[in-house]
Amino acid sequence: MKERLERMRNGKGFIAALDQSGGSTPKALKLYGINESEYSNDTEMFDLIHKMRTRIIKSPAFSDKEIVGAILFEQTMDRKIDDKYTADFLWEEKGVLPFLKVDKGLEELEDGVQIMKPMPGLDELLKRANERHIFGTKMRSVIKKASQTGIAKVVDQQFEVADKIIAAGLVPIIEPEVDIHNVDKAECETILKNEIKKHLDKLPETSNVMLKVTLPTVENFYKDLTEHPRVVRVVALSGGYPREKANEILAKNKGVIASFSRALTEGLSAQQSDDEFNKDLAKAIKEIYEASVK
């Protein structure tokens, strides 16, 4: 664990978010050039998305030279690439740290935010994650309004679950996403950062977390969090920005690296030849890497 923690804390590169789950898989497949008419049930759908993720992970463009971690969906963790479980393939063949998305989706909007749905099977999932050699986890909430009480509720819940993940020996990525379309986005980020700091300052020295945040309105807004002793890494989601715009904003935020999903796979297609696919993926990885290491 010590070697892997050091790799995440100081490794150059970014995190590839390959964790689209049941609700977002059809959209991810459509962007990849596979329409809903090409599969007839969830089994076929998940087979296709695993094939897409396998193609990305096995690409020569996907390596530890630019990528330090990859976030997986639960089904991806339980599947194999070349007879190895996906997490083992990532670490042993690619030198990339595997993370697992553990949340079960979002509750309805209330008080300007969407907290996470209950996770009754979390303990069992964390046990399986350890058996599959997962390094860390990720869980997402969403903030749509500068509500002090709503944002505090989001952060309280995130750190409450993070405590269980830390106790299981894993490193949690706390992801309170601020919707990029919020008219009061900057105010949301100010409240959010203050709430996060309150919790970070209470963590014992043995506890480590990561933070996944929306690319901020103010440059270097999260600089103090990147320097907090309890924070292994601060990563940024693309949040719906196209890759070029996301990279442009990211490059202005020192110490923050990418954890992009749509921006990483933008332009990739099932219809491409392997040469075309690998060339486009290499270009995307190079651009995101350069914005991350600036």
Side-chain angles (χ1 to χ4, degrees):
M1 184 63 174
K2 191 176 179 182
E3 175 201 355
R4 304 212 294 175
L5 190 61
E6 178 63 21
R7 166 81 175 133
M8 180 47 61
R9 196 183 292 279
N10 296 311
K12 282 195 169 185
F14 68 94
I15 293 176
L18 306 174
D19 59 325
Q20 296 91 348
S21 55
S24 54
T25 296
K27 185 177 180 182
L29 284 172
K30 192 168 186 179
L31 290 169
Y32 183 56
I34 297 175
N35 292 313
E36 291 184 44
S37 60
E38 296 179 57
Y39 51 90
S40 54
N41 53 50
D42 282 357
T43 300
E44 291 178 5
M45 177 181 77
F46 286 123
D47 284 346
L48 287 167
I49 198 74
H50 187 65
K51 192 174 178 183
M52 170 188 158
R53 289 167 178 151
T54 297
R55 194 181 190 193
I56 291 169
I57 291 168
K58 288 188 70 176
S59 170
F62 192 98
S63 81
D64 60 354
K65 291 177 182 174
E66 295 91 5
I67 299 169
V68 290
I71 305 171
L72 308 175
F73 171 49
E74 186 178 341
Q75 279 214 21
T76 311
M77 175 185 75
D78 290 330
R79 290 178 181 242
K80 293 183 177 181
I81 298 175
D82 291 356
D83 296 323
K84 287 190 176 187
Y85 282 109
T86 305
D88 290 333
F89 187 91
L90 278 167
W91 181 242
E92 294 170 10
E93 303 296 328
K94 293 285 185 169
V96 172
L97 290 163
F99 289 82
L100 174 68
K101 167 187 156 66
V102 294
D103 69 81
K104 300 301 179 187
L106 301 168
E107 295 281 21
E108 293 298 316
L109 186 68
E110 185 179 327
D111 201 5
V113 302
Q114 289 177 276
I115 62 170
M116 298 179 289
K117 288 181 177 177
M119 293 176 253
L122 181 63
D123 290 343
E124 179 58 33
L125 181 57
L126 295 177
K127 183 183 174 186
R128 279 178 42 232
N130 274 309
E131 290 168 356
R132 295 277 181 267
H133 306 135
I134 293 290
F135 170 75
T137 64
K138 190 213 80 162
M139 49 194 174
R140 172 177 171 262
S141 315
V142 174
I143 296 164
K144 291 182 175 285
K145 181 182 173 184
S147 160
Q148 177 68 52
T149 53
I151 294 172
K153 192 174 181 183
V154 161
V155 179
D156 287 348
Q157 183 192 37
Q158 283 276 350
F159 275 88
E160 183 183 339
V161 180
D163 284 343
K164 296 179 182 178
I165 292 161
I166 292 166
L170 301 168
V171 177
I173 299 178
I174 289 166
E175 183 185 4
E177 175 181 349
V178 176
D179 191 315
I180 63 169
H181 302 295
N182 287 355
V183 292
D184 51 6
K185 179 172 175 285
E187 190 181 346
C188 289
E189 288 163 347
T190 297
I191 297 169
L192 175 62
K193 186 167 79 165
N194 289 335
E195 289 299 318
I196 289 173
K197 284 174 79 171
K198 286 179 195 174
H199 283 273
L200 289 176
D201 291 341
K202 293 176 188 173
L203 286 178
E205 288 185 13
T206 52
S207 296
N208 294 294
V209 302
M210 293 174 59
L211 302 171
K212 183 167 178 175
V213 293
T214 302
L215 291 161
T217 304
V218 177
E219 288 177 25
N220 290 315
F221 184 71
Y222 292 112
K223 186 175 185 295
D224 50 343
L225 297 188
T226 68
E227 298 167 350
H228 196 285
R230 301 280 62 79
V231 176
V232 177
R233 213 74 193 252
V234 177
V235 305
L237 55 108
S238 52
Y241 289 119
R243 183 166 65 238
E244 186 177 353
K245 180 67 174 175
N247 285 337
E248 180 189 323
I249 301 170
L250 177 63
K252 295 173 182 174
N253 286 275
K254 305 296 181 190
V256 179
I257 64 172
S259 176
F260 291 173
S261 175
R262 278 169 292 179
L264 172 64
T265 57
E266 186 180 300
L268 299 180
S269 165
Q271 288 74 41
Q272 287 178 306
S273 68
D274 284 345
D275 283 347
E276 291 170 330
F277 179 90
N278 291 334
K279 184 180 176 183
D280 283 357
L281 181 60
K283 180 176 183 289
I285 287 172
K286 181 176 183 289
E287 290 173 356
I288 297 169
Y289 172 81
E290 287 175 350
S292 293
V293 299
K294 49 267 187 197

